[in-house]
Coordinates of all heavy atoms in Angstrom, one line a residue:
Q25 N -87.8 -21.2 55.4 CA -89.2 -21.5 55.6 C -89.4 -22.9 55.1 O -89.1 -23.2 53.9 CB -90.1 -20.5 55.0 CG -91.6 -20.8 55.0 CD -92.4 -19.9 54.2 OE1 -91.9 -18.9 53.7 NE2 -93.7 -20.2 54.0
K74 N -95.8 -36.2 47.4 CA -95.7 -35.9 48.9 C -94.5 -36.6 49.5 O -94.6 -37.6 50.1 CB -96.9 -36.3 49.6 CG -98.2 -35.5 49.1 CD -99.4 -35.9 49.9 CE -100.6 -35.1 49.4 NZ -101.9 -35.5 50.1
I79 N -85.7 -32.6 57.3 CA -84.9 -31.4 57.3 C -84.2 -31.2 58.6 O -84.8 -31.2 59.7 CB -85.8 -30.2 56.9 CG1 -86.5 -30.4 55.5 CG2 -85.0 -28.9 56.9 CD1 -87.4 -29.3 55.1
R87 N -79.9 -29.3 55.7 CA -79.8 -30.6 55.0 C -81.2 -31.2 54.8 O -82.0 -31.3 55.7 CB -79.0 -31.6 55.8 CG -78.7 -32.9 55.0 CD -77.7 -33.8 55.9 NE -76.5 -33.1 56.1 CZ -75.4 -33.1 55.3 NH1 -75.5 -33.8 54.2 NH2 -74.3 -32.5 55.6
L115 N -72.6 -33.5 43.2 CA -72.4 -32.3 42.4 C -72.6 -31.1 43.4 O -73.4 -31.2 44.4 CB -73.5 -32.2 41.3 CG -73.5 -31.0 40.4 CD1 -72.3 -30.9 39.5 CD2 -74.8 -30.9 39.6
F134 N -84.3 -11.3 32.8 CA -82.9 -11.5 33.1 C -82.2 -12.5 32.1 O -82.9 -13.4 31.6 CB -82.7 -12.0 34.5 CG -83.4 -11.2 35.6 CD1 -84.6 -11.6 36.0 CD2 -82.9 -10.0 36.1 CE1 -85.3 -10.9 37.0 CE2 -83.5 -9.3 37.0 CZ -84.8 -9.7 37.5
K201 N -65.3 -25.6 31.7 CA -63.9 -25.1 31.8 C -63.3 -25.5 33.1 O -64.0 -26.0 34.0 CB -63.9 -23.5 31.7 CG -64.6 -23.0 30.4 CD -64.7 -21.5 30.4 CE -65.3 -21.0 29.1 NZ -65.4 -19.5 29.1
A234 N -89.6 -40.0 34.1 CA -90.6 -39.8 35.1 C -91.0 -38.4 35.2 O -92.1 -38.0 35.4 CB -90.1 -40.3 36.4
A317 N -97.3 -52.7 2.7 CA -96.3 -51.7 3.1 C -97.0 -50.5 3.7 O -98.2 -50.4 3.6 CB -95.4 -51.2 2.0
F346 N -90.1 -14.1 10.3 CA -88.7 -14.3 9.9 C -88.6 -15.2 8.7 O -89.5 -16.0 8.4 CB -87.9 -14.8 11.2 CG -88.4 -16.0 11.8 CD1 -88.3 -17.3 11.2 CD2 -89.1 -16.0 13.0 CE1 -88.7 -18.4 11.8 CE2 -89.6 -17.1 13.6 CZ -89.4 -18.4 13.0
V369 N -93.5 -19.5 9.0 CA -93.7 -20.5 10.1 C -94.9 -20.2 10.9 O -95.2 -19.0 11.2 CB -92.4 -20.5 10.9 CG1 -92.5 -21.4 12.2 CG2 -91.2 -20.9 10.1
F390 N -104.7 -37.5 6.6 CA -104.8 -38.6 7.5 C -106.1 -39.5 7.2 O -106.0 -40.7 7.2 CB -104.9 -38.1 8.9 CG -105.0 -39.2 10.0 CD1 -103.9 -40.1 10.1 CD2 -106.1 -39.3 10.8 CE1 -104.0 -41.1 11.0 CE2 -106.1 -40.3 11.8 CZ -105.0 -41.2 11.9
K410 N -81.7 -12.4 12.0 CA -81.3 -11.1 12.5 C -81.7 -11.1 14.0 O -82.6 -11.7 14.4 CB -82.0 -10.0 11.8 CG -81.9 -10.0 10.3 CD -82.6 -8.9 9.6 CE -84.1 -9.1 9.6 NZ -84.5 -10.3 8.9
D413 N -85.2 -10.8 15.1 CA -86.1 -11.9 14.8 C -86.6 -12.5 16.2 O -87.7 -13.0 16.3 CB -85.5 -13.0 14.0 CG -85.3 -12.6 12.5 OD1 -85.8 -11.5 12.1 OD2 -84.6 -13.3 11.8
K425 N -87.5 -16.2 24.1 CA -87.8 -16.9 25.4 C -88.1 -18.4 25.2 O -87.8 -19.2 26.1 CB -89.0 -16.2 26.0 CG -89.4 -16.7 27.4 CD -90.6 -16.0 28.0 CE -91.0 -16.5 29.4 NZ -92.1 -15.7 30.0
G466 N -94.4 -40.0 20.6 CA -94.4 -41.0 19.5 C -93.6 -40.5 18.4 O -94.0 -40.7 17.2
P486 N -71.7 -41.1 18.3 CA -71.8 -40.3 19.6 C -73.0 -39.4 19.6 O -73.5 -39.1 20.7 CB -70.5 -39.6 19.7 CG -69.9 -39.5 18.3 CD -70.4 -40.8 17.6
N512 N -70.8 -37.9 -7.2 CA -71.5 -38.2 -8.5 C -70.6 -38.1 -9.7 O -70.6 -39.1 -10.5 CB -72.6 -37.2 -8.7 CG -73.9 -37.8 -8.1 OD1 -74.0 -39.0 -7.9 ND2 -74.9 -36.9 -7.9
F526 N -68.6 -44.2 -2.8 CA -69.9 -44.0 -2.2 C -70.5 -45.4 -1.8 O -71.1 -45.5 -0.8 CB -70.9 -43.3 -3.1 CG -72.2 -43.0 -2.4 CD1 -72.3 -42.1 -1.4 CD2 -73.3 -43.7 -2.8 CE1 -73.5 -41.9 -0.8 CE2 -74.6 -43.5 -2.2 CZ -74.6 -42.6 -1.2
F539 N -78.6 -51.2 13.3 CA -78.7 -51.3 14.7 C -79.0 -49.9 15.3 O -78.4 -49.4 16.3 CB -77.3 -51.8 15.3 CG -77.1 -53.2 14.8 CD1 -76.3 -53.4 13.7 CD2 -77.7 -54.3 15.4 CE1 -76.1 -54.7 13.2 CE2 -77.4 -55.6 15.0 CZ -76.6 -55.8 13.9
L600 N -71.6 -47.6 26.0 CA -71.0 -48.7 26.8 C -71.0 -48.3 28.2 O -71.0 -49.2 29.1 CB -69.6 -49.0 26.3 CG -69.5 -49.5 24.8 CD1 -68.1 -49.9 24.5 CD2 -70.4 -50.7 24.6
Y617 N -71.1 -49.4 20.7 CA -72.3 -49.3 21.6 C -73.0 -50.6 21.7 O -72.8 -51.5 20.9 CB -73.2 -48.2 21.1 CG -73.8 -48.4 19.8 CD1 -75.1 -48.9 19.6 CD2 -73.1 -48.1 18.6 CE1 -75.7 -49.1 18.4 CE2 -73.7 -48.3 17.3 CZ -75.0 -48.9 17.2 OH -75.5 -49.1 16.0
K637 N -62.1 -39.5 1.1 CA -62.0 -38.1 0.7 C -62.5 -37.3 1.8 O -63.5 -37.6 2.5 CB -62.9 -37.9 -0.6 CG -62.4 -38.6 -1.8 CD -61.0 -38.1 -2.2 CE -60.5 -38.8 -3.5 NZ -59.2 -38.3 -4.0
Y688 N -64.6 -64.9 23.4 CA -63.6 -64.0 23.9 C -63.9 -63.5 25.3 O -65.0 -63.3 25.7 CB -63.5 -62.8 23.0 CG -63.1 -63.0 21.6 CD1 -64.1 -63.3 20.6 CD2 -61.8 -63.0 21.2 CE1 -63.8 -63.5 19.3 CE2 -61.4 -63.3 19.8 CZ -62.5 -63.5 18.9 OH -62.1 -63.8 17.6
A765 N -85.4 -67.9 30.7 CA -84.2 -67.8 31.6 C -83.3 -68.9 31.3 O -83.7 -70.1 31.1 CB -84.6 -67.8 33.1
K801 N -82.7 -78.0 20.1 CA -83.8 -78.8 20.7 C -85.1 -78.0 20.4 O -85.1 -76.8 20.6 CB -83.6 -79.0 22.2 CG -82.5 -80.0 22.5 CD -82.6 -80.4 24.0 CE -81.5 -81.4 24.3 NZ -81.5 -81.8 25.7
V812 N -86.0 -77.1 29.4 CA -85.2 -78.0 28.6 C -83.7 -78.0 29.0 O -83.2 -76.9 29.3 CB -85.4 -77.7 27.1 CG1 -84.9 -76.3 26.8 CG2 -84.6 -78.7 26.2

Side-chain angles (χ1 to χ4, degrees):
Q25 175 187 350
K74 295 180 180 179
I79 301 178
R87 185 177 301 273
L115 180 69
F134 309 95
K201 301 177 180 179
F346 55 75
V369 172
F390 185 59
K410 304 178 290 295
D413 289 351
K425 181 179 181 180
N512 268 341
F526 182 71
F539 298 96
L600 296 183
Y617 61 99
K637 297 294 183 179
Y688 298 89
K801 290 190 177 182
V812 56

